[in-house]
Amino acid sequence: KQAAPANEFKKALSSATKAPEAPAVKTNTYVVQKGETLSEIANKIGVSVNDLMKQNNIKNARNLRRGATLKWK
């Protein structure tokens, strides 16, 4: 039963060499309703219009369409 310390050493070594897991990044979504503007949505969800545009590859805020799903972190 002298093999137990070797097993404990292997367990300790394997857990020590594992990279820490990255924390999960929550992505929020919002479905655009008829008549809403990007500015209204940004104010409602608490992010800037510019951040919302960047994260959703929106080039022109006037091209927002009803039913589009916006994402932000």
Side-chain angles (χ1 to χ4, degrees):
K1 294 207 175 204
Q2 291 180 346
N7 287 338
E8 290 175 19
F9 177 75
K10 285 181 183 178
K11 286 179 186 177
L13 183 60
S14 71
S15 65
T17 58
K18 289 182 183 176
E21 292 183 24
V25 176
K26 182 178 179 187
T27 300
N28 301 294
T29 60
Y30 182 87
V31 178
V32 178
Q33 304 301 309
K34 183 178 180 180
E36 287 184 312
T37 66
L38 203 55
S39 179
E40 290 171 332
I41 295 167
N43 286 333
K44 192 181 293 186
I45 63 176
V47 300
S48 74
V49 172
N50 285 336
D51 284 344
L52 208 49
M53 289 179 72
K54 286 178 189 175
Q55 292 181 44
N56 289 280
N57 294 321
I58 298 171
K59 305 291 185 234
N60 184 341
R62 295 179 189 265
N63 292 339
L64 192 61
R65 299 284 180 235
R66 177 184 60 174
T69 301
L70 302 175
K71 298 178 182 180
W72 76 97
K73 296 177 185 173

